[in-house]
Amino acid sequence: MDPTPGPRPPAVLPLAEDGYPAAGGVTRRPTGPAESARANRGWWDAAAPAYLAEHGSDLGDTDFLWCPEGLREADAHLLGDVAGRRVLEIGCGSAPCSRWLRLAGASPVALDVSGGMLARAAELNGSTGVAVPLLQADAGALPLADASVDLACSAFGGLPFVSDARAVLTEVARVLVPGGRLVASVNHPMRWPMPDSPDPDDLRVVASYFDRTPYVETDDRGRTVYVEHHRTIGDWVRAVVGAGFVLTDLVEPEWTPGRTQTWGQWSPERGALVPGTLVLVCDLPGQTV
């Protein structure tokens, strides 16, 4: 693996009072791979400071948090023994998971589409003293050789924001060795038809679970600035199997006892009632690594 040095400069979008990109409008309409990638690159570039200010202490600098429910790789061991393994992290953000992997004895590469996120990752590489290679790239076009990594992981990184999940999973399968494993956490599909609220009183269906039309935010000129894609559980299973993986496990993490953080739609009260995260554990056929 030969990561490209240095991320591209982050894009500039107008910010709202909360520090996140201002949305001039919200709609539901189809979007393709290029539009989704371009919009989300710019959004995360602009949102990186606010997002990390809000969630950075929970994510940590050298920790591996799978989801807002509080499931950590140190407890779950979904990737198995990582010591000595080459690991690709997809959608790394500020790369705390990759630093945890490095401390656990792995050789990770942290990939993200956002230069803004990777700029913060580079700063943390220096301040923590745990440096990991950083790579800016689209998950649908991984600049890695065939069969060049043993494991791949994605903690809410990339997959919810791509228009063609099967194509991305096929690309991940290409860079994994036979017998390699991918573990990815995504929004639980049951979150889609309900309001984006942590209040359990808002547990009501307001949209169709079966409506796959992407959620799109636009700026004041009507340009697409954020896209998120919904898939049913069946869609995820078909995408995983269609990409050549064996679906080893589907994990729906329960809320960690004593955890008090509210994170968007996730909260202790709501987490006690319905799942918020789906974790896909996928193995590539072949000799076990």
Side-chain angles (χ1 to χ4, degrees), residues 68-131:
E69 287 85 355
L71 182 69
R72 285 177 158 79
E73 177 61 14
D75 301 314
H77 306 293
L78 298 178
L79 289 168
D81 183 6
V82 300
R85 305 298 190 194
R86 301 164 297 173
V87 187
L88 172 65
E89 183 186 4
I90 300 166
C92 67
S94 58
C97 298
S98 284
R99 288 189 208 89
W100 182 90
L101 288 164
R102 171 59 59 86
L103 291 173
S107 297
V109 168
L111 177 146
D112 203 285
V113 72
S114 167
M117 280 293 187
L118 291 176
R120 180 57 179 154
E123 293 173 0
L124 289 172
N125 272 353
S127 63
T128 62
V130 184

Side-chain angles (χ1 to χ4, degrees), residues 2-289:
D2 184 18
T4 305
R8 291 190 293 270
V12 178
L13 291 176
L15 302 179
E17 292 184 0
D18 61 2
Y20 287 92
V26 173
T27 187
R28 298 281 296 278
R29 62 169 176 78
T31 63
E35 182 182 13
S36 293
R38 180 174 60 252
N40 287 318
R41 179 186 300 113
W43 194 92
W44 284 106
D45 282 348
Y51 179 85
L52 293 172
E54 182 178 4
H55 300 298
S57 60
D58 195 24
L59 291 167
D61 297 338
T62 57
D63 200 1
F64 199 134
L65 180 68
W66 278 113
C67 55
E69 287 85 355
L71 182 69
R72 285 177 158 79
E73 177 61 14
D75 301 314
H77 306 293
L78 298 178
L79 289 168
D81 183 6
V82 300
R85 305 298 190 194
R86 301 164 297 173
V87 187
L88 172 65
E89 183 186 4
I90 300 166
C92 67
S94 58
C97 298
S98 284
R99 288 189 208 89
W100 182 90
L101 288 164
R102 171 59 59 86
L103 291 173
S107 297
V109 168
L111 177 146
D112 203 285
V113 72
S114 167
M117 280 293 187
L118 291 176
R120 180 57 179 154
E123 293 173 0
L124 289 172
N125 272 353
S127 63
T128 62
V130 184
V132 296
L134 305 175
L135 177 61
Q136 185 172 13
D138 190 320
L142 299 173
L144 300 175
D146 295 357
S148 58
V149 297
D150 303 306
L151 301 167
C153 59
S154 184
F156 276 91
L159 288 178
F161 309 104
V162 300
S163 67
D164 191 337
R166 176 172 172 175
V168 170
L169 292 171
T170 299
E171 183 68 348
V172 176
R174 178 186 66 79
V175 304
L176 278 170
V177 299
R181 169 168 287 191
L182 163 68
V183 183
S185 58
V186 298
N187 297 326
H188 196 287
M190 281 304 300
R191 293 181 66 239
W192 189 257
M194 299 181 187
D196 191 12
S197 165
D199 190 339
D201 290 340
D202 288 330
L203 285 175
R204 62 187 190 278
V205 174
V206 296
S208 172
Y209 172 80
F210 301 103
D211 183 0
R212 280 84 159 180
T213 309
Y215 168 88
V216 177
E217 293 181 3
T218 57
D219 64 12
D220 55 6
R221 300 184 189 178
R223 296 174 300 185
T224 303
V225 296
Y226 179 89
V227 181
E228 191 165 339
H229 295 267
H230 166 61
R231 296 170 181 94
T232 66
I233 292 178
D235 292 339
W236 279 118
V237 172
R238 285 184 288 275
V240 166
V241 174
F245 286 100
V246 173
L247 185 61
T248 302
D249 200 0
L250 282 175
V251 182
E252 297 169 294
E254 297 186 39
W255 199 266
T256 299
R259 181 172 169 81
T260 60
Q261 286 87 345
T262 295
W263 188 321
Q265 192 184 93
W266 290 268
S267 68
E269 296 79 15
R270 187 158 172 157
L273 300 174
V274 294
T277 298
L278 184 68
V279 186
L280 306 160
V281 182
C282 317
D283 289 323
L284 202 60
Q287 183 178 354
T288 304
V289 298

